[in-house]
Amino acid sequence: MQKMSAMNRKLIQNLAETLCKQVKHFDKRETECLIRLFSGLLGEQAERRAAHGLDRVRFRNILHNTFGMTDDMMMDSVFRAFDKDNDTYISVKEWVEGLSVFLRGALDEKIKFCFDVYNLHGDGYISREEMLQMLKDSLIRQPTEEDPDEGIKDIVEIALKKMDHDHDGKVSYSDFEKTVKDENLLLEAFGNCLPDAKVEITSNYFCM
Amino acid sequence: MGLTISRAVQWSSDGDQLENSPLNNDILTEILLFTEGFEDRHPQEASIPFCEPLQWNTSLEAADFTSDIYNTRGESAVSLECDDKGRPLLQLSPPAITVHSFYHLSNLLKLSKDKKMKEVWACLEVNREPIKKIFGPISPTIHKGKLFSILHQLDEKLLSIAVRPITREGRLSPAAVNTEVDLLKRENRVLKSVHYTSDYVFSNGCRSPPWRQMEGEICSLIIETCDTEPTLFITCNTSGVFLNERINGEGVENSSMTKSEVYKDIVTLLKNQSPHFAAAADEQDFAIQDVPSAKKILHVETVDVEETGQTLKSYDHEEKNVPEKLAWNKPGSRNKKLEPSLKWKNLGLTSFYDEEEEKARRSRESKKSPGPASENKKKANFSGSSLPGCQSSQKTKSPGGADDFSESSSEDEEDEEKPERRAEIPTDLPSEYWQIQKLVKYLKGANQTATVIVLCTLRDFNLVQETCQLAIRDVGGLEVLINLLDTDDIRCNIGSLKILREISCNSLIRQTIADLGGLQTMVSILDTPVKELKCLAAETIANVAKFRRARRTVRQYGGIKRLVELLDCLPDSVSLSAEQERDADVARCGALALWSCSKSTRNKESIRQAGGIPLLARLLKSSQKNMLIPVVGTLQECASEKSYRIAIQTEGMIEDLVKNLSCDNQELQMHCASAIFKCAEDKHTRDLVRQYDGLKPLVMLLNKAENKQLLAATTGAIWKCSISLENVAKFQEYRALEILVGLLKDQPEEVLVNVVGALGECAQISENLATIRKSGGIQPLVKLLSGTNQALLVNVTKAVGACATDPENMPIIDRLDGVRLLWSLLKNPSPDVQASAAWAICPCIENAKDAGEMVRSFVGGLELIVNLLKSQNKDVLASVCAAIAKIAKDVENLAVISDHGVVPMLANLTNTVDDKLRRYLAEAIACCCMWGSNCVSFGEAGAVAPLVHYLHSKDPLVHQATARALFELSKDPNNCITMHENGVVKLLLIMIGSTDAILQEAAASCVANIRCLALANDKAKNGILTRRSGSVE
């Protein structure tokens, strides 16, 4: 470990220099911190995988431990949103870029990020089925009712009605964008996929 | 005839024309008959030439002078008879005519045939004081004496005519009351009994005794209804009908606020007093509405000082709601018995709700008009209910005490609102209700994600609509929303608050939020670092804290301190960063909440203790109107407290307030003016307003007369500012007086009080008295003397009193019968009004021509004022003493008041320590000594010794008055002895050394009297020895 980080120090600095120019919200020092954190996390995983980058399990640990996310599906989706090249690993570049939006993103960037997260099938639309999947545990099931999922279905309809501005039965990116611009609260409409506002305010520690 | 012409005859508003009124007609007819018959009845007197001819523009032509005592030449005509200087006694050169004697006046009228009345009219219009012209300025010589007494008889006759018609002019007439009472008597099923208190009917149709008729009273009634306890005593006045507690008490009207409301007729009063009567009246649809008086629908204009701006939204939505409500009410609701729907009952509503429903049903039953032809009834309902409403908005601020329930009275009566509002709930539930119910059900079982979706959907309902608001409440939504505030999910907090903020503009929702402990949670949310959340919590608190209990809760849970902390942001600079802008927004919301909270006295104190004043002062530098409005709103609300008034002055806020007077937002202008209004009681503040050039913008604001709230605040500020003479000079420069005089008509009372107050203050400078006269201000002022608003009356009497100090104003006041009106106000139940009226009477007596005669002409007036010496109020006593001193200058009146026992009553008061009272009391005693044995009686009543002690007072004015009184009293030897025993000489010797000449002389003369007595005494003792020398004093 010690040897590796000593060896990598120069490398990390160079990398930080390049990355911070490509990424919006971090300066060089912060980028360097993030890269170091990244290498630290990599060190914990098996050598074989480390070559590719951060794997899903590690990443989910961070989401869970640092950002208090609990929903498995959401964490997987966030992972997918970070993993731009779809190679099931998060590279150092993806890491820094992803965190830039995740931690410091402007509203537009966050809208895009959340939409990517919710767009489970990656087809550019959030469909009824996707919503149902994401919201399935969001309501206490009333065992007394004939169809225990009726409530959820209703909520999906409500959400769809609220978001589907072009009435095509699914939520496109522009639908989503417009909805969130009208009401910021709906940014994380289908599940918690961003750090919570309180964490956000104190989140600078993450980059220190 | 002199008196009648100048006082009883009604002149038109501009004062130079006779009004075409029935009273004038009667008087002029009498004068006409008198003059026409004069020649026959008093041939000798008829030929006495007038000192000055009567001259007017006649409609007669030379051709009309057919009698042979006239010589016609072309268009002109002259009498053959000439006076001793060779002038013809009648001369016509059209259109002017000059007449020198009653003989020719008589003849002329005989010749004018059908134009008689016109001639008299024209003659009197230009000869306001015929007596003066006939006899000249000096008193009549002996050979004219007979003529004088004849005219005096006429005058008396005319006066009796003039007293009669008071009841003809008011809104209620004896005839209207009679008709109405007859109708009520017929409806004996509705009322148990209806009686007059007096069976005697005066010739004018009134039943009240004449001295009450002077005040416009028509009659008193005793009505027993089926449900009000025990019996209603009602007084019918020309100005309306009101309840009276003691019918036989000497003009003591009931002082309790709730009972003294004035209704436009008996039916309206009964409807308001007796629900049973109201229900029965509507059912029967009897045509009481057709009583003449009822046709006049009172136009009620209220200025609601409270809840401006902040609640504009809620006003809006109420209006918006109206058509919808009506729509729901229409179908079948008229015949349906309005039971609460079972659906509603099943929702597990609390007993509180049932109570509401019950009340609502009752009020609905009494309100809904079941019959057809409800047009009339609607009117009746409107005016009936609007009058008390108007009354309540007129309530003056009562000073708050220390306990929790003494919050300042700008508070609303929201608790009473409930039943009214509840009544509007439709029985057919709208679809929104079911949707909202479903959403609230989801909220109860949703995680954060679904909660946010549901909350956002809930927000899509029209939350300013009362149905939606109440639906949320009734399905238990408020509980859930408030619970959500307790979670630590910020998005849920925000979503919930966004809804609560909207619906809390409804007073019922406010109550429930407070009941459910929502305020506590919101107060704790203020600690959050999330600015959006802070803003929302503060804004919601601002909405909820509109009633006393809520305000108290905010304070008790430490909300005030937290809200004050929100104010801490950078004063706005040229460019704000996004973060600073958010800080400014937080401060704005904090100010909004503090504004609501500041309506409670204790909260004002808490704001101050939490260090709010410097923060508010800093925010006052802002240029954002949405920031300034709540900040200035809070400041003006708090300015009722002295600590704030001082702070506003010392923290330099006056400059900013003045600056914002010139902004383009009327609400902000209003709050600024209102703050100045409250602060300008202090002299330094007034000076600051002037130094910062605030007076001109205030005068400019007077032009925005259509905004009554603004006008009330502006005129209030002008009033208080005009207490300083320097400011009055400025107002003169800006010609404010002329504008103020223009505002004396057709304004709500809130405005009038201030306008009149300002005029009263400006009248400190004598040239303004002429300005008020020239701009026609005296007539409306005198007219206001017949009002009922006590605050207004205090100011009006003061202003009229000030006007009366100008000798040129006095004849106008006299002609408008102002002194009689002032005198009537001595009967007002409020001591403030009594005192103010008595003060105003003083200059009137001093400056009126024939003041003694005038005072005597007030039936029972002297007795009334003497009886006020029994008052407990120091200011009343002082003012009445001052007035008595003036009255006593007329010996005849002094005799009358002596008969009424003025001497023992004054003597009774002598033990006072109040310097103001002492001064006027001493003056009154000095003046009252002038008649009969009064001087001796004062001594016997023990008035002398206390007076001597007045000389120990520090007030030089007391010294002067006392010395004069002592001088008068010293004319009685026994008094001299008493004085001497009380050590007066030493005190007087000091007074002789005074620089005040009057005091010197009075003191010296008193000492001289005492000395004379002592000498006489010495001589009497040594009489035997000295008699021989023959020197007897």
Side-chain angles (χ1 to χ4, degrees):
Chain A
M1 281 293 282
Q2 194 69 29
K3 211 169 63 180
M4 194 177 76
S5 45
M7 192 178 69
N8 282 343
R9 180 163 298 159
K10 189 79 181 168
L11 205 64
I12 289 174
Q13 277 179 0
N14 288 339
L15 192 58
E17 191 108 16
T18 6
L19 280 181
C20 79
K21 279 173 193 151
Q22 293 168 16
V23 173
K24 252 188 189 169
H25 304 285
F26 297 123
D27 59 19
K28 183 168 171 256
R29 192 184 55 80
E30 288 167 332
T31 319
E32 215 178 300
C33 283
L34 290 174
I35 295 170
R36 248 190 231 115
L37 192 70
F38 183 77
S39 356
L41 290 165
L42 275 187
E44 292 168 19
Q45 50 188 63
E47 197 70 34
R48 180 172 56 82
R49 291 183 171 197
H52 302 282
L54 215 52
D55 69 7
R56 202 160 58 92
V57 180
R58 301 283 148 187
F59 187 74
R60 278 179 53 161
N61 279 347
I62 299 170
L63 290 181
H64 183 75
N65 297 334
T66 313
F67 299 107
M69 287 189 192
T70 47
D71 187 335
D72 287 334
M73 190 177 59
M74 271 306 132
M75 289 194 279
D76 285 346
S77 295
V78 172
F79 177 78
R80 266 203 317 282
F82 267 69
D83 180 19
K84 295 247 168 56
D85 57 5
N86 265 326
D87 65 349
T88 66
Y89 290 99
I90 290 172
S91 69
V92 70
K93 185 164 184 263
E94 284 165 349
W95 168 252
V96 175
E97 278 176 351
L99 283 178
S100 139
V101 174
F102 189 73
L103 291 173
R104 301 229 173 129
L107 184 62
D108 285 332
E109 293 170 293
K110 285 183 173 172
I111 293 174
K112 180 83 182 72
F113 175 80
C114 288
F115 186 78
D116 288 345
V117 172
Y118 300 143
N119 183 13
L120 302 177
H121 302 161
D123 58 356
Y125 293 101
I126 306 173
S127 65
R128 265 197 188 78
E129 292 69 39
E130 284 165 310
M131 289 185 199
L132 199 61
Q133 207 178 336
M134 290 185 282
L135 294 174
K136 64 178 186 298
D137 295 323
S138 66
L139 207 60
I140 296 169
R141 287 196 169 74
Q142 306 282 340
T144 49
E145 298 204 9
E146 292 163 27
D147 177 4
D149 281 339
E150 197 193 301
I152 299 294
K153 285 178 186 158
D154 198 18
I155 288 191
V156 168
E157 288 311 313
I158 288 169
L160 191 64
K161 191 179 159 207
K162 189 155 176 58
M163 296 187 165
D164 184 14
H165 295 288
D166 51 12
H167 305 290
D168 59 357
K170 50 193 178 179
V171 175
S172 66
Y173 177 69
S174 66
D175 282 338
F176 187 72
E177 189 182 26
K178 183 174 171 10
T179 311
V180 178
K181 291 245 162 102
D182 288 348
E183 175 52 90
N184 293 347
L185 286 179
L186 288 171
L187 179 62
E188 294 176 79
F190 303 111
N192 184 10
C193 58
L194 285 170
D196 146 335
K198 276 179 194 156
V199 177
E200 197 176 354
I201 283 167
T202 55
S203 75
N204 288 337
Y205 83 100
F206 199 73
C207 309
M208 291 301 119
Chain B
M1 150 160 149
L3 200 59
T4 321
I5 296 288
S6 55
R7 304 186 346 105
V9 168
Q10 295 156 326
W11 298 92
S12 68
S13 50
D14 45 14
D16 53 25
Q17 278 185 319
L18 279 166
E19 254 180 56
N20 192 0
S21 68
L23 171 64
N24 282 355
N25 256 325
D26 290 356
I27 292 176
L28 292 187
T29 313
E30 194 62 35
I31 294 176
L32 189 152
L33 291 173
F34 169 82
T35 314
E36 200 175 5
F38 197 93
E39 187 209 356
D40 305 328
R41 269 176 287 150
H42 313 283
Q44 208 177 343
E45 280 75 27
S47 58
I48 297 175
F50 296 165
C51 188
E52 251 186 277
L54 297 176
Q55 211 166 359
W56 69 94
N57 287 342
T58 180
S59 57
L60 297 178
E61 291 162 10
D64 292 314
F65 291 87
T66 47
S67 165
D68 54 6
I69 55 169
Y70 298 108
N71 192 358
T72 51
R73 251 175 281 138
E75 285 193 341
S76 60
V78 288
S79 65
L80 299 174
E81 201 183 346
C82 293
D83 65 3
D84 42 14
K85 289 178 195 129
R87 288 177 303 187
L89 289 177
L90 180 145
Q91 189 165 19
L92 170 80
S93 42
I97 190 160
T98 317
V99 182
H100 284 259
S101 75
F102 265 111
Y103 174 74
H104 287 281
L105 276 180
S106 288
N107 264 322
L108 183 135
L109 288 177
K110 283 174 189 162
L111 291 170
S112 355
K113 295 175 191 110
D114 52 350
K115 296 183 201 153
K116 279 174 196 166
M117 196 59 182
K118 211 170 161 189
E119 287 306 310
V120 175
W121 198 280
C123 172
L124 287 178
E125 212 158 79
V126 291
N127 297 291
R128 292 272 175 98
E129 290 169 316
I131 299 293
K132 215 180 204 172
K133 291 218 164 153
I134 293 169
F135 298 109
I138 38 156
S139 52
T141 51
I142 296 151
H143 74 284
K144 287 180 178 173
K146 182 82 187 301
L147 176 59
F148 185 74
S149 70
I150 295 169
L151 289 178
H152 190 74
Q153 279 168 15
L154 169 68
D155 201 10
E156 278 181 351
K157 198 168 171 186
L158 292 178
L159 263 183
S160 70
I161 297 174
V163 178
R164 193 198 312 158
I166 293 159
T167 52
R168 290 191 193 169
E169 28 183 83
R171 281 177 294 189
L172 272 187
S173 63
V177 173
N178 245 327
T179 329
E180 209 179 353
V181 171
D182 286 348
L183 245 164
L184 291 172
K185 280 184 172 169
R186 259 187 279 138
E187 295 300 334
N188 47 6
R189 198 163 57 79
V190 182
L191 297 168
K192 279 187 192 160
S193 70
V194 181
H195 304 279
Y196 287 110
T197 50
S198 158
D199 287 328
Y200 181 74
V201 186
F202 288 82
S203 56
N204 55 11
C206 295
R207 287 164 192 262
S208 290
W211 63 89
R212 297 252 194 104
Q213 288 182 29
M214 296 279 282
E215 286 188 312
E217 223 175 82
I218 298 169
C219 62
S220 296
L221 287 165
I222 306 177
I223 297 181
E224 280 180 73
T225 59
C226 299
D227 53 355
T228 45
E229 47 78 40
T231 317
L232 300 172
F233 294 112
I234 294 171
T235 301
C236 303
N237 195 293
T238 50
S239 59
V241 180
F242 53 89
L243 279 179
N244 211 355
E245 203 165 50
R246 273 185 291 162
I247 43 161
N248 293 323
E250 254 304 309
V252 187
E253 261 102 46
N254 184 358
S255 57
S256 103
M257 282 293 286
T258 51
K259 287 202 171 183
S260 61
E261 284 160 7
V262 178
Y263 299 89
K264 72 179 170 64
D265 56 29
I266 306 172
V267 172
T268 318
L269 181 140
L270 287 172
K271 277 187 183 169
N272 274 281
Q273 293 296 324
S274 155
H276 177 269
F277 179 85
D282 281 347
E283 212 172 87
Q284 295 196 354
D285 193 24
F286 58 81
I288 285 187
Q289 314 304 336
D290 292 332
V291 171
S293 67
K295 282 181 187 153
K296 283 166 194 159
I297 289 168
L298 299 177
H299 175 62
V300 180
E301 214 168 8
T302 59
V303 172
D304 193 344
V305 184
E306 221 246 329
E307 296 203 352
T308 49
Q310 277 197 343
T311 51
L312 278 177
K313 248 191 239 161
S314 78
Y315 285 166
D316 273 7
H317 96 258
E318 273 167 28
E319 265 170 55
K320 266 188 251 158
N321 277 342
V322 171
E324 288 163 40
K325 281 178 202 160
L326 288 178
W328 292 329
N329 282 340
K330 245 184 232 160
S333 66
R334 193 180 281 165
N335 299 321
K336 205 194 247 174
K337 195 175 176 207
L338 291 157
E339 277 286 326
S341 142
L342 282 174
K343 293 167 196 161
W344 285 72
K345 279 198 166 167
N346 289 338
L347 295 168
L349 304 169
T350 57
S351 59
F352 153 77
Y353 168 74
D354 287 337
E355 224 175 84
E356 287 304 330
E357 187 64 28
E358 187 57 35
K359 268 192 223 163
R361 188 144 33 102
R362 242 183 283 143
S363 77
R364 238 183 277 139
E365 274 165 12
S366 65
K367 276 198 163 175
K368 291 265 153 63
S369 38
S374 56
E375 184 64 21
N376 270 335
K377 252 170 279 149
K378 260 185 208 154
K379 271 187 208 164
N381 266 343
F382 164 73
S383 51
S385 56
S386 67
L387 263 175
C390 149
Q391 199 86 18
S392 73
S393 77
Q394 288 164 7
K395 270 183 206 161
T396 46
K397 297 221 172 197
S398 57
D403 68 274
D404 266 347
F405 296 94
S406 67
E407 323 266 58
S408 51
S409 67
S410 47
E411 315 203 330
D412 27 309
E413 276 102 38
E414 285 188 332
D415 302 276
E416 284 105 280
E417 255 177 64
K418 275 198 254 167
E420 302 297 328
R421 294 289 208 95
R422 206 61 190 78
E424 305 298 331
I425 290 294
T427 47
D428 305 322
L429 296 170
S431 65
E432 287 101 320
Y433 178 86
W434 302 111
Q435 291 170 19
I436 288 173
Q437 193 193 31
K438 190 181 69 183
L439 289 174
V440 169
K441 195 185 81 188
Y442 290 151
L443 270 187
K444 289 176 184 165
N447 73 355
Q448 295 110 303
T449 307
T451 299
V452 171
I453 296 176
V454 174
L455 287 175
C456 291
T457 313
L458 212 44
R459 282 197 62 207
D460 289 339
F461 285 90
N462 183 6
L463 292 179
V464 290
Q465 188 178 313
E466 194 169 32
T467 359
C468 293
Q469 296 166 347
L470 295 179
I472 292 176
R473 186 194 69 166
D474 294 336
V475 300
L478 290 176
E479 286 87 341
V480 183
L481 289 171
I482 288 169
N483 268 339
L484 284 174
L485 297 182
D486 274 325
T487 66
D488 52 6
D489 186 282
I490 291 168
R491 292 185 305 143
C492 290
N493 294 346
I494 291 177
S496 166
L497 277 174
K498 278 184 172 175
I499 294 170
L500 289 172
R501 180 184 60 177
E502 297 297 318
I503 61 178
S504 56
C505 58
N506 180 313
S507 67
L508 290 169
I509 301 287
R510 295 203 266 270
Q511 306 258 348
T512 320
I513 292 177
D515 289 339
L516 293 171
L519 283 166
Q520 288 89 317
T521 322
M522 286 190 266
V523 165
S524 57
I525 286 181
L526 292 175
D527 290 331
T528 174
V530 184
K531 283 172 188 160
E532 187 183 5
L533 202 46
K534 279 190 197 203
C535 285
L536 282 167
E539 277 183 288
T540 315
I541 291 174
N543 281 345
V544 176
K546 290 272 161 63
F547 61 103
R548 189 191 299 156
R549 186 164 49 87
R551 290 194 277 266
R552 193 168 63 223
T553 311
V554 174
R555 179 179 68 242
Q556 283 168 349
Y557 285 86
I560 301 291
K561 190 168 165 288
R562 290 180 169 97
L563 288 170
V564 167
E565 281 163 8
L566 299 190
L567 299 182
D568 197 0
C569 78
L570 283 172
D572 78 342
S573 51
V574 189
S575 62
L576 284 174
S577 71
E579 199 62 16
Q580 283 171 322
E581 242 169 69
R582 243 170 280 157
D583 281 337
D585 206 40
V586 169
R588 180 185 65 83
C589 296
L592 269 175
L594 286 175
W595 185 10
S596 291
C597 291
S598 64
K599 292 191 171 92
S600 296
T601 318
R602 278 211 179 176
N603 284 352
K604 293 174 192 174
E605 183 56 20
S606 301
I607 296 173
R608 195 182 62 79
Q609 283 170 352
I613 297 178
L615 292 172
L616 286 168
R618 201 164 71 184
L619 293 177
L620 193 56
K621 306 271 181 209
S622 165
S623 56
Q624 303 295 321
K625 297 219 169 54
N626 61 358
M627 173 75 91
L628 285 168
I629 289 173
V631 168
V632 182
T634 311
L635 284 171
Q636 68 90 15
E637 197 67 58
C638 291
S640 59
E641 302 298 301
K642 188 151 188 269
S643 52
Y644 276 89
R645 293 198 291 269
I646 294 169
I648 287 174
Q649 185 194 98
T650 53
E651 301 257 348
M653 291 190 248
I654 297 293
E655 184 178 5
D656 297 307
L657 290 173
V658 165
K659 190 183 77 193
N660 285 316
L661 279 179
S662 315
C663 74
D664 55 3
N665 180 304
Q666 294 201 353
E667 192 186 355
L668 181 53
Q669 288 174 321
M670 177 187 79
H671 293 312
C672 288
S674 173
I676 293 175
F677 177 16
K678 287 175 183 165
C679 293
E681 296 260 2
D682 178 272
K683 184 178 181 311
H684 187 53
T685 303
R686 293 196 292 270
D687 292 341
L688 286 176
V689 173
R690 183 180 65 253
Q691 281 157 21
Y692 293 124
D693 296 322
L695 301 177
K696 189 158 195 184
L698 280 175
V699 176
M700 303 289 283
L701 281 178
L702 287 180
N703 297 322
K704 297 189 178 161
E706 70 293 343
N707 181 339
K708 298 302 175 197
Q709 298 178 5
L710 176 58
L711 190 60
T714 308
T715 49
I718 291 181
W719 169 19
K720 294 300 175 187
C721 284
S722 59
I723 296 173
S724 289
L725 290 176
E726 296 94 326
N727 291 353
V728 175
K730 283 281 178 190
F731 285 136
Q732 269 173 282
E733 188 185 316
Y734 304 137
R735 308 187 67 76
L737 264 88
E738 286 84 345
I739 309 176
L740 286 172
V741 166
L743 291 173
L744 284 172
K745 281 177 198 159
D746 308 323
Q747 297 294 339
E749 279 180 344
E750 286 84 347
V751 174
L752 285 174
V753 171
N754 298 342
V755 170
V756 176
L759 287 175
E761 291 300 340
C762 290
Q764 295 169 105
I765 294 183
S766 56
E767 55 188 287
N768 284 339
L769 295 172
T771 312
I772 294 175
R773 179 180 67 242
K774 283 174 191 153
S775 44
I778 293 181
Q779 209 226 1
L781 277 176
V782 172
K783 209 167 174 185
L784 287 175
L785 285 174
S786 36
T788 51
N789 179 318
Q790 293 183 343
L792 179 55
L793 284 174
V794 169
N795 284 354
V796 177
T797 43
K798 190 175 173 198
V800 171
C803 287
T805 55
D806 183 325
E808 284 189 61
N809 287 349
M810 198 48 223
I812 306 177
I813 296 174
D814 200 3
R815 199 174 65 226
L816 294 165
D817 225 4
V819 189
R820 187 181 65 82
L821 289 168
L822 281 174
W823 215 285
S824 314
L825 288 176
L826 295 175
K827 287 188 258 186
N828 191 289
S830 154
D832 291 342
V833 177
Q834 290 172 353
S836 189
W839 287 122
I841 283 171
C842 298
C844 289
I845 296 178
E846 200 160 283
N847 290 323
K849 200 161 61 69
D850 292 331
E853 182 62 35
M854 174 184 79
V855 170
R856 271 191 295 285
S857 74
F858 303 135
V859 182
L862 288 170
E863 188 178 0
L864 173 71
I865 200 163
V866 170
N867 277 332
L868 275 182
L869 288 174
K870 293 175 189 157
S871 169
Q872 298 298 316
N873 182 302
K874 288 255 163 35
D875 199 36
V876 173
L877 292 173
S879 62
V880 169
C881 284
I884 283 178
K886 303 288 181 205
I887 293 169
K889 299 242 163 84
D890 181 284
V891 183
E892 245 179 272
N893 289 336
L894 177 53
V896 177
I897 58 173
S898 302
D899 284 348
H900 287 307
V902 75
V903 172
M905 288 168 108
L906 287 175
N908 258 339
L909 298 174
T910 45
N911 281 321
T912 180
V913 289
D914 182 270
D915 271 342
K916 192 176 179 192
L917 175 54
R918 282 176 161 186
R919 173 186 168 194
Y920 291 105
L921 180 58
E923 259 177 35
I925 291 176
C927 294
C928 287
C929 279
M930 309 290 192
W931 193 77
S933 58
N934 282 359
C935 184
V936 181
S937 311
F938 275 122
E940 286 162 357
V944 177
L947 269 179
V948 172
H949 296 294
Y950 288 7
L951 293 176
H952 291 294
S953 157
K954 291 195 169 55
D955 185 348
L957 291 166
V958 175
H959 296 163
Q960 196 204 76
T962 309
R964 276 164 51 210
L966 288 174
F967 165 59
E968 294 299 336
L969 291 167
S970 68
K971 290 171 182 166
D972 173 56
N974 285 327
N975 289 346
C976 286
I977 295 166
T978 321
M979 284 180 213
H980 194 263
E981 281 166 2
N982 283 281
V984 78
V985 178
K986 197 177 160 199
L987 292 165
L988 285 174
L989 285 175
I990 302 169
M991 300 296 154
I992 294 173
S994 155
T995 49
D996 175 353
I998 300 172
L999 173 58
Q1000 267 180 6
E1001 192 185 345
S1005 311
C1006 184
V1007 173
N1009 281 346
I1010 296 170
R1011 191 67 207 135
C1012 281
L1013 180 70
L1015 280 175
N1017 203 24
D1018 283 349
K1019 277 177 190 155
K1021 271 189 200 152
N1022 306 329
I1024 302 157
L1025 297 174
T1026 52
R1027 183 162 295 166
R1028 203 171 290 164
S1029 70
S1031 70
V1032 180
E1033 278 283 326

